[in-house]
Amino acid sequence: MEENQTAKIIWWKDKKLLAGIILVISSLIVGFYGKGLIIVKFYEPFSLITGLSIWAFSWILLFIGVFLVGWETVRMIQQRVQSHVKETVKGTYHYTKGLSKKGYHYTKEIHRKGLGRIKQSLK
């Protein structure tokens, strides 16, 4: 399972994501066709039932497509966040390491200046 999470997702090569996108688009097309049948031939019972059936089927396609697209998109977002955090942690470590050196040298300089002032006041 960890191997799947570490492998980078390329959206145009991911089968589930492409299937989800195709399902969503086809759902929209089929849904508009079913809605058109309902509106245009409202008084014909066969066309009305057919249009309602097609329209209901388009909703099923839409939910399946959104489910597929949703989980794959969540995985892609998680991978981007993890890679960004890894890069940030590397930079933060080096920045923090540099801060401790700066703090050490700054404190050493303050101590040296303080001792210099004490020597001047004793003269």
Side-chain angles (χ1 to χ4, degrees), residues 32-78:
F32 282 125
Y33 177 73
K35 208 172 197 181
L37 276 177
I38 294 170
I39 293 172
V40 172
K41 298 184 178 183
F42 184 72
Y43 293 108
E44 296 177 22
F46 181 74
S47 296
L48 180 65
I49 292 172
T50 305
L52 285 173
S53 301
I54 291 173
W55 186 69
F57 179 70
S58 76
W59 278 99
I60 294 170
L61 286 179
L62 180 68
F63 286 127
I64 293 171
V66 166
F67 181 75
L68 289 175
V69 169
W71 282 113
E72 294 304 309
T73 305
V74 166
R75 284 182 47 211
M76 289 174 67
I77 290 170
Q78 284 176 344

Side-chain angles (χ1 to χ4, degrees), residues 11 15 20 22-24 30 32 42 45 50 53 60 63-64 78 82 85 90 92 116:
W11 69 271
K15 293 177 184 176
I22 291 170
L23 281 174
V24 169
V30 170
F32 282 125
F42 184 72
T50 305
S53 301
I60 294 170
F63 286 127
I64 293 171
Q78 284 176 344
Q82 286 174 356
V85 166
K90 285 181 184 177
T92 304

Side-chain angles (χ1 to χ4, degrees), residues 96-107:
T96 306
K97 189 176 177 183
L99 279 179
S100 63
K101 287 181 181 179
K102 283 182 186 178
Y104 171 75
H105 292 299
Y106 178 72
T107 306

